Amino acid sequence: MSSEGFLKQMQTIGEKLLLKLQNLPKADPVEIVFFCVVLLFIGTVLLLMIIACSCCCYSCCGCDRRREIQVHPAAH
């Protein structure tokens, strides 16, 4: 997918979300609850991705401060 196609899709999704937000005060209570549940799900997925990426980067990039130096006994 080209970057122009991706940007076009993102713009379309943004416009749909904006339209949904504009019509939300006139919506049924059930539709408002479903919309909030969808937003909560998206937020949870993004939060979990950020946590997973930060934990992965923390362990892979040498930022782990808990590493212990292994000491081997001296040969006599």
Side-chain angles (χ1 to χ4, degrees):
M1 176 183 291
S2 68
S3 62
E4 291 177 13
F6 178 72
L7 290 175
K8 182 87 170 157
Q9 281 187 347
M10 291 304 293
Q11 182 180 4
T12 304
I13 291 171
E15 289 172 357
K16 287 180 182 179
L17 182 63
L18 183 61
L19 181 63
K20 190 67 142 175
L21 286 173
Q22 289 172 347
N23 293 333
L24 201 56
K26 297 178 269 184
D28 295 331
V30 174
E31 190 175 353
I32 294 171
V33 170
F34 285 148
F35 187 72
C36 291
V37 167
V38 168
L39 287 180
L40 182 65
F41 176 75
I42 291 170
T44 303
V45 169
L46 291 175
L47 179 67
L48 290 175
M49 285 177 55
I50 289 170
I51 291 171
C53 290
S54 64
C55 289
C56 181
C57 290
Y58 182 76
S59 64
C60 291
C61 296
C63 299
D64 193 4
R65 306 249 185 249
R66 296 174 292 158
R67 290 188 182 164
E68 298 177 6
I69 300 173
Q70 294 181 355
V71 178
H72 299 287
H76 290 284

